[in-house]
Amino acid sequence: MKSFSVIILLILTTSCKKEYDANSCQNLIFKQSKGLNAAAGTMANDFKKFCKGKKVKITLEQCKNATNYVLTSFSQVTEKKLKAKYGEEVLNCLNKGMIKKYIKN
């Protein structure tokens, strides 16, 4: 029984401290823009807590703008147009269903 308690205590103490680098902060933005915060077990405010001052390629605001552009554009949206307007990694902001439905290669 004591070993079980020690194992639980170790798990709790090691899982409390979160460390984020620029890539993991960028992934938080992509998950949040896709609406995956709850499913991925991340909290919506993790970015605010742990990623201040980290340099990311695409912000959440850019992801929102790109999503709005894809959904409201009257002309055909292509990968090339989207990447030229918002950056190379902008497709990570969109889920696979949106890419398949709204973006032409």
Side-chain angles (χ1 to χ4, degrees), residues 10-76:
L10 282 172
I11 290 172
L12 290 175
T13 56
T14 57
S15 65
C16 292
K17 177 106 172 139
K18 292 184 179 182
E19 298 209 15
Y20 289 98
D21 61 355
N23 287 333
S24 56
C25 289
Q26 185 68 68
N27 287 334
L28 280 176
I29 290 173
F30 292 148
K31 286 178 184 178
Q32 191 171 356
S33 69
K34 291 178 186 178
L36 297 176
N37 274 332
T42 59
M43 294 174 16
N45 59 357
D46 273 2
F47 186 82
K48 290 178 185 173
K49 284 183 182 178
F50 302 108
C51 296
K52 285 190 178 189
K54 304 278 192 231
K55 181 123 174 106
V56 292
K57 295 175 186 174
I58 297 179
T59 65
L60 184 58
E61 191 64 32
Q62 288 171 310
C63 280
K64 288 178 182 179
N65 290 339
T67 303
N68 287 338
Y69 173 72
V70 168
L71 295 176
T72 61
S73 181
F74 290 113
S75 63
Q76 185 65 47

Side-chain angles (χ1 to χ4, degrees), residues 1-2 4 9 12 14 22 26-27 29 34 37-38 57 69 75-77 79-82 85-86 90 95:
M1 188 66 175
K2 286 185 180 184
F4 180 75
L9 184 61
L12 290 175
T14 57
Q26 185 68 68
N27 287 334
I29 290 173
K34 291 178 186 178
N37 274 332
K57 295 175 186 174
Y69 173 72
S75 63
Q76 185 65 47
V77 178
E79 269 188 50
K80 188 175 179 180
K81 274 188 198 176
L82 196 60
K85 188 169 178 126
Y86 294 102
V90 73
N95 62 38

